[in-house]
Amino acid sequence: MQGRLVTGRLQTAGHLVLRFFGHVSARPLSPEEQSYIHERLSPPCADLFWRQSFPDQRHALNVAQRVATRLPGDQEAIEAALLHDIGKWRPNLGPVSRSIATLLEYAHLPMTRRMWAYRDHGRRGAAELEEAGCGRLAIEFARLHPSAAPDGYDAERWQALGEADG
């Protein structure tokens, strides 16, 4: 048991380090990449997408491209991938504050309201996606990732989304 706990923490730490450097080194989307987004999202859902920071846009696009490779032609899954972290735009935290918020949550320590809003991005994002009329899969994946598929959702499809985000 102890070995799994340590291994899990090291994997999480590695993931956080990669995410941090991915965030600080991200570049804005190219015109071709922007077209990809507009072709796959309705105007209200695209409006939410563009509210994100460009590192979050880049991450979402990378996740969507991995999903498109694994689930070719599954436009609902691609939409879910593009919108899964939409709730992170409003707290507007930089990479250092995001990292601190994540570590505080893992350690069960108090954090600021903005940090809590960042950590609660799934619920917040799902509400915004629902209000914008985005697809059911996008709403539920935003709300529940990285958990297992809820009842009524294809487990393999959900797993493909989760692995693409990982």
Side-chain angles (χ1 to χ4, degrees):
M1 176 76 169
Q2 181 68 19
R4 280 190 222 161
L5 183 60
V6 171
T7 302
R9 285 185 180 160
L10 290 176
Q11 288 172 337
T12 299
H15 176 79
L16 291 175
V17 169
L18 289 174
R19 277 281 175 92
F20 176 84
F21 285 108
H23 191 91
V24 297
S25 66
R27 65 192 196 299
L29 301 185
S30 70
E32 295 81 19
E33 292 168 326
Q34 292 174 31
S35 291
Y36 180 92
I37 304 305
H38 285 294
E39 291 167 8
R40 283 157 182 82
L41 296 176
S42 69
C45 297
D47 181 54
L48 288 174
F49 179 88
W50 297 116
R51 290 180 189 181
Q52 299 179 103
S53 67
F54 67 81
D56 287 334
Q57 293 171 11
R58 168 78 42 210
H59 167 69
L61 176 62
N62 291 340
V63 173
Q65 290 173 331
R66 288 191 290 269
V67 166
T69 298
R70 188 150 169 201
L71 303 171
D74 189 338
Q75 294 306 314
E76 289 179 274
I78 292 168
E79 178 193 44
L82 288 170
L83 299 172
H84 74 281
D85 282 337
I86 208 72
K88 291 181 178 179
W89 77 270
R90 197 176 296 266
N92 195 27
L93 293 180
V96 172
S97 294
R98 287 176 173 207
S99 298
I100 291 169
T102 300
L103 294 172
L104 289 172
E105 183 179 27
Y106 285 155
H108 304 288
L109 294 171
M111 61 183 91
T112 67
R113 279 191 172 135
R114 282 181 59 212
M115 286 179 174
W116 176 247
Y118 167 75
R119 295 305 303 155
D120 191 33
H121 74 274
R123 184 185 61 78
R124 292 168 176 269
E128 290 185 89
L129 295 174
E130 193 162 26
E131 185 176 315
C134 302
R136 198 87 222 130
L137 180 62
I139 294 165
E140 291 309 311
F141 190 70
R143 182 185 334 273
L144 300 173
H145 79 287
S147 69
D151 290 340
Y153 288 85
D154 180 277
E156 286 184 37
R157 190 182 198 199
W158 194 275
Q159 182 177 347
L161 281 161
E163 289 174 0
D165 187 32

